[in-house]
């Protein structure tokens, strides 16, 4: 394995997880505002603790590579659902640049889900808590 491929997976995990961890922490510090925004968008505010849990715990698990494939699968689903609810649906009632901006947000969420599915398919890579040791050949 070259140095590039050895560090690509951990760097990818850091970049993918960073957004979720920070977003989840911001939802904690701005709880009431986030809850109000969710309700304004037709999403029950009572789901906010689950959202925070998925983002923070899932993001940390992905970051360190612990149960990374499960975390990535959940975060991929979260990205698709939240993109649909908070970007795609609102874009239908907009025109011009506002609609285009929301579609870009939706496509961003789909792109993130694609990156997460790569982690699901290929695992966390090197430098991860969940890395399985290489099998030792029997003598």
């Amino acid at each position: 394995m070259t140095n590039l491929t050895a560090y690509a997976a951990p760097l990818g995990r850091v970049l993918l997880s960073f957004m979720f961890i920070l977003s989840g922490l911001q939802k904690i510090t701005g709880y009431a505002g986030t809850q109000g925004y969710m309700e304004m968008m037709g999403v029950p505010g009572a789901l906010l603790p689950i959202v925070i849990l998925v983002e923070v715990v899932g993001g940390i698990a992905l970051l360190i590579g612990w149960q990374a494939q499960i975390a990535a699968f959940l975060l991929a689903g979260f990205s698709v659902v939240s993109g649909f609810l908070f970007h795609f649906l609102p874009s239908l009632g907009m025109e011009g640049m506002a609609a285009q901006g929301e579609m870009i947000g939706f496509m961003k969420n789909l792109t993130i889900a694609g990156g997460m599915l790569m982690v699901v398919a290929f695992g966390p890579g090197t430098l991860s808590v969940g890395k399985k040791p290489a099998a030792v050949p029997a003598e």
Side-chain angles (χ1 to χ4, degrees), residues 54-74:
V54 168
E55 286 186 326
V56 174
V57 175
I60 291 171
L62 182 66
L63 175 68
I64 65 174
W66 178 77
Q67 300 293 321
Q69 289 165 299
I70 295 169
F73 183 77
L74 293 173

Side-chain angles (χ1 to χ4, degrees), residues 2-122:
T2 67
N3 285 339
L4 177 62
T5 56
Y7 295 106
L11 179 58
R13 287 195 334 265
V14 168
L15 295 174
L16 283 168
S17 67
F18 191 62
M19 180 182 92
F20 290 98
I21 296 167
L22 286 182
S23 182
L25 294 175
Q26 288 172 340
K27 284 175 177 68
I28 294 169
T29 60
Y31 195 93
T34 303
Q35 189 175 38
Y37 178 71
M38 288 173 65
E39 290 170 353
M40 181 182 77
M41 300 301 288
V43 178
L47 294 176
L48 185 54
I50 296 168
V51 169
I52 292 169
L53 183 71
V54 168
E55 286 186 326
V56 174
V57 175
I60 291 171
L62 182 66
L63 175 68
I64 65 174
W66 178 77
Q67 300 293 321
Q69 289 165 299
I70 295 169
F73 183 77
L74 293 173
L75 291 170
F78 177 83
S79 296
V80 172
V81 170
S82 63
F84 183 77
L85 292 172
F86 294 99
H87 295 295
F88 181 77
L89 289 179
S91 76
L92 298 177
M94 298 177 176
E95 294 181 10
M97 294 303 290
Q100 183 178 357
E102 290 301 333
M103 283 306 293
I104 289 170
F106 177 62
M107 290 185 286
K108 170 205 53 113
N109 279 47
L110 293 181
T111 302
I112 292 165
M116 293 297 175
L117 292 176
M118 295 296 287
V119 175
V120 171
F122 299 108

